[in-house]
Amino acid sequence: MSNDLDFEAWVCPMPLRDTPNIVMGHGGGGAMSGELIEQLFLPAFGGAAHAELGDSAVLSMPAGRLAFSTDSFVVKPMFFPGGSIGDLAVNGTVNDLAMSGATPLYLSTAFILAEGTPLAEIGRVAMAVGKAAEAAGVQLVTGDTKVVDSGSGDGIYINTAGIGVVPDGVEIGPRRARVGDAVIVSGDIGVHGIAVMSCREGLEFGTTIESDTAPLHELVAEMLATGIDVRVLRDPTRGGVSATLNEVAKASGVGIEIVERDLPIPPEVADACGLLGLDPLQVANEGKLITIVPAEHADEMLAAMRRHPLGVGARRIGTCVADHPRMVVARTGLGGTRVVDLPVGEQLPRIC
């Protein structure tokens, strides 16, 4: 299959009954549904596709505990600087599995398509799904396609579910944070949310900010290979760093204190947040993680993370403390503190 995004280049002969857009018949379960799957989705998925076109997949699993996750993706616009809803759907579920310490193995993909959506756009998204799955080393083993009336959906929505295997001895969860533990972030924060905003509603920030969407499981594997007790792993997506740290504080009962000057906030993200009246701590990320480890091993963990391309910018940003239990506070540059609360509602709608 050609990498050209022109519709006529998908397969030969010309597929899908010569229609350039999705019609209700593509979701009817008949010949047109079959053509959509066999002549668009499967070729676009490439080597990541391992579906037998049944309603379920029979999988071979290695020994160990299973991790299972599901997520839905409704980002608007479907294409944004640095990514699309396609790679976001794969990386998001891969990362949800990785945050339990799992090695992701299999994904399902379900597409909800709005009538009238150009098949060329669906093809671009499907190619992004396939490339992201191949890059992450996961197989696309089953799926579904539905079509809704024009105006009922917004082009393409995607649901992905994933299965992975958790190694023996790995126990990771927000309740395991302890007083004195170090809080580490893997790199720059706030990038994804601002990247999506940069191409929405015609907003321009003077520079191109690209999404950080990426699969994090190999970085997590490097972290676990150190033998350090990784107590907590979280990817700060919706609600950003603020929501993630508040979740951990409430679950574990500890207080968390972060240092504002240690937060890796790129200048362009800080400028955009200032313009929009946003708190960078509440802006979504799609290729970053937060980990909590014993303080005596923080430097060793930072060194291990920085050896991986997705952890080069890793920094310690705070500490778990006995004061203000179940709360998150930030120490400001003036020596004071402020409460870092959960965001109310959604700062940036439709960012994942």
Side-chain angles (χ1 to χ4, degrees), residues 121-263:
E121 289 189 357
I122 296 170
R124 288 179 63 191
V125 170
M127 284 186 67
V129 168
K131 290 179 179 178
E134 287 192 85
V138 296
Q139 297 181 0
L140 305 174
V141 295
T142 190
D144 185 45
T145 303
K146 292 292 188 295
V147 178
V148 296
D149 294 335
S150 177
S152 298
D154 189 17
I156 302 174
Y157 297 159
I158 303 176
N159 173 272
T160 48
I163 295 175
V165 176
V166 182
D168 290 338
V170 173
E171 296 290 343
I172 298 171
R175 291 181 176 83
R176 297 194 64 236
R178 300 289 182 268
V179 171
D181 286 351
V183 181
I184 294 171
V185 66
S186 62
D188 290 344
I189 63 173
V191 178
H192 173 73
I194 297 302
V196 172
M197 282 295 292
S198 71
C199 58
R200 183 186 293 166
E201 306 300 337
L203 294 174
E204 295 183 2
F205 302 123
T207 185
T208 299
I209 303 173
E210 293 193 351
S211 172
D212 58 351
T213 177
L216 295 168
H217 59 296
E218 292 181 351
L219 171 60
V220 170
E222 294 287 339
M223 295 166 64
L224 296 177
T226 64
I228 295 170
D229 182 11
V230 177
R231 302 202 204 275
V232 178
L233 281 172
R234 279 291 186 270
D235 55 335
T237 53
R238 285 177 297 177
V241 171
S242 173
T244 296
L245 293 183
N246 272 278
E247 174 195 353
V248 173
K250 288 177 171 57
S252 63
V254 305
I256 295 179
E257 182 175 292
I258 59 177
V259 181
E260 283 190 340
R261 68 172 180 271
D262 292 336
L263 293 171

Side-chain angles (χ1 to χ4, degrees), residues 72-149:
S72 297
F73 298 85
V74 296
V75 63
K76 181 179 181 179
M78 68 179 75
F79 305 104
F80 46 82
S84 72
I85 191 173
D87 45 74
L88 196 64
V90 172
N91 293 336
T93 296
V94 164
N95 291 345
D96 286 344
L97 294 170
M99 294 307 104
S100 65
T103 299
L105 298 175
Y106 304 111
L107 293 185
S108 70
T109 56
F111 288 75
I112 300 173
L113 309 174
E115 184 181 21
T117 303
L119 286 168
E121 289 189 357
I122 296 170
R124 288 179 63 191
V125 170
M127 284 186 67
V129 168
K131 290 179 179 178
E134 287 192 85
V138 296
Q139 297 181 0
L140 305 174
V141 295
T142 190
D144 185 45
T145 303
K146 292 292 188 295
V147 178
V148 296
D149 294 335

Side-chain angles (χ1 to χ4, degrees), residues 7-26:
F7 175 71
E8 295 186 14
W10 288 118
V11 291
C12 183
M14 182 72 166
L16 308 177
R17 301 191 184 274
D18 299 330
T19 176
N21 299 320
I22 281 290
V23 297
M24 295 302 294
H26 288 128

Side-chain angles (χ1 to χ4, degrees), residues 44-74:
F45 289 166
H50 288 266
E52 296 184 3
L53 303 182
D55 289 334
S56 64
V58 178
L59 309 175
S60 298
M61 299 297 299
R65 295 169 294 156
L66 297 184
F68 175 74
S69 181
T70 187
D71 205 349
S72 297
F73 298 85
V74 296

